[in-house]
Amino acid sequence: MALHRLTSITIGVPDVAATAAYYEDFGLTPARGGRFATVDGGEQLGLVASTRRRLVDLGVGVDDADDLDRVAANLARVGARVEREASSVTAPAAPATNGPGHAGRPGARAAAVLRAAPVRPRKLGHVVLGSTDVAASERFFIEGVGFKVSDTVRGLAVFLRCSTDHHNLLIQQAPVDFLHHTSWQVDDVDEIGRGATAMLEKDPARHVWGLGRHHIGSNFFWYLKDPEGNFTEYYADLDCVLDDQLWKPGVWDGARSLFSWGPPPPPSFIAPDDLAALMASAHRAG
């Protein structure tokens, strides 16, 4: 089965206008119908009105119609109800750097400190979902859709991929099903810093966690928060899995399951401030 990327995500929020302004500040390009585009991925975010913040849909790209037939059949096999309906990208040149015993850019300032254009995310890289039943969610995405396991956090979470990126989806144990965060790729750690700095200059309350580097996936990160409580991550330098046979999934716990270096995560990152309200809302809906 040829899964290859996350195509888009649609998020329901109570205040579409305020949330739309946040994602425009974040660097996504507004399009028609409440949608936003990345540089390389096209229209990848949609916002719709909702009584509470929630995941509305998540799109996964496949190579051809046969793959759609296979996904539909596999999802039906795991008990999911489904309906089957009938340019190139070039990586930027690596910047010249100076290091111990090596001067890659003698007599010149680092190009990164001269950048002035607004930060523009390249693509939607991954989505993190809280699940009340991680085992059932794993079965749906692995056996049904065709995701592969990259790493796991013992008894708590699983990192899944549908592309050569280390993960496109993370499912973590939670007391309610909810969207924890979306993650958006930028070119390098300087773009993470510049993007987050610009966001915080407009509103310091947007800060959640960063700058740091994850151990699982290896990516640099900085997390911010939209007006409705959804976390958004700038990331760069994520691990790539080009050959499934050469990647050995690990099982992690402790601090390394969260980060390699940087400030410790705030309690609100582990248990979002509105988690109790989301639980109450889900209980009423049920």
Side-chain angles (χ1 to χ4, degrees):
M1 184 179 301
L3 307 180
H4 58 76
R5 68 180 181 120
L6 297 185
T7 57
S8 64
I9 186 171
T10 302
I11 304 172
V13 295
D15 190 336
V16 173
T19 309
Y22 171 92
Y23 286 102
E24 188 170 355
D25 287 347
F26 190 76
L28 302 186
T29 301
R32 289 181 295 180
R35 300 196 65 78
F36 291 82
T38 59
V39 173
D40 298 329
E43 294 183 10
Q44 293 199 277
L45 172 66
L47 299 174
V48 296
S50 174
T51 56
R52 62 181 177 89
R53 71 178 182 94
R54 65 188 184 92
L55 174 68
V56 175
D57 66 53
L58 179 66
V60 180
V62 299
D63 286 339
D64 54 44
D66 287 343
D67 292 314
L68 291 177
D69 291 336
R70 206 169 294 118
V71 168
N74 288 342
L75 285 172
R77 193 172 297 117
V78 299
R81 293 179 131 185
V82 297
E83 291 184 7
R84 171 68 168 90
E85 299 177 352
S87 85
S88 67
V89 176
T90 303
T97 60
N98 293 333
H102 169 74
R105 49 173 178 80
R109 300 185 193 280
V113 304
L114 303 177
R115 296 173 189 167
V119 171
R120 300 297 183 199
R122 289 281 179 176
K123 68 176 183 179
L124 170 64
H126 56 271
V127 171
V128 175
L129 304 177
S131 172
T132 58
D133 191 336
V134 171
S137 297
E138 285 186 38
R139 188 162 176 255
F140 177 89
F141 284 106
I142 298 171
E143 297 179 30
V145 182
F147 279 71
K148 298 175 182 177
V149 176
S150 294
D151 282 299
T152 59
V153 179
R154 195 185 315 273
L156 293 176
V158 59
F159 291 76
L160 304 174
R161 68 183 185 275
C162 65
S163 71
T164 57
D165 288 346
H166 173 272
H167 59 281
N168 303 103
L169 181 65
L170 167 61
I171 303 169
Q172 61 185 25
Q173 190 66 45
V176 63
D177 296 331
F178 77 106
L179 172 64
H180 185 274
H181 73 261
T182 57
S183 187
W184 306 83
Q185 183 191 54
V186 294
D187 288 342
D188 53 34
V189 67
D190 287 285
E191 293 297 88
I192 293 176
R194 291 201 318 116
T197 297
M199 291 290 285
L200 299 180
E201 284 176 348
K202 284 201 168 185
D203 184 356
R206 290 169 168 175
H207 174 73
V208 176
W209 182 29
L211 172 73
R213 188 160 198 168
H214 288 303
H215 188 83
I216 303 177
S218 303
N219 50 299
F220 296 103
F221 66 82
W222 198 319
Y223 293 90
L224 303 124
K225 183 169 62 175
D226 76 17
E228 301 296 354
N230 301 295
F231 299 143
T232 56
E233 176 190 13
Y234 287 123
Y235 82 90
D237 196 20
L238 182 73
D239 291 336
C240 288
V241 182
L242 301 181
D243 186 335
D244 293 337
Q245 302 304 312
L246 299 180
W247 182 264
K248 183 179 179 181
V251 179
W252 307 92
D253 49 27
R256 282 195 167 185
S257 67
L258 285 170
F259 68 122
S260 181
W261 57 258
S268 61
F269 182 81
I270 308 300
D273 293 337
D274 65 348
L275 193 58
L278 292 175
M279 292 171 63
S281 178
H283 178 73
R284 289 193 298 270

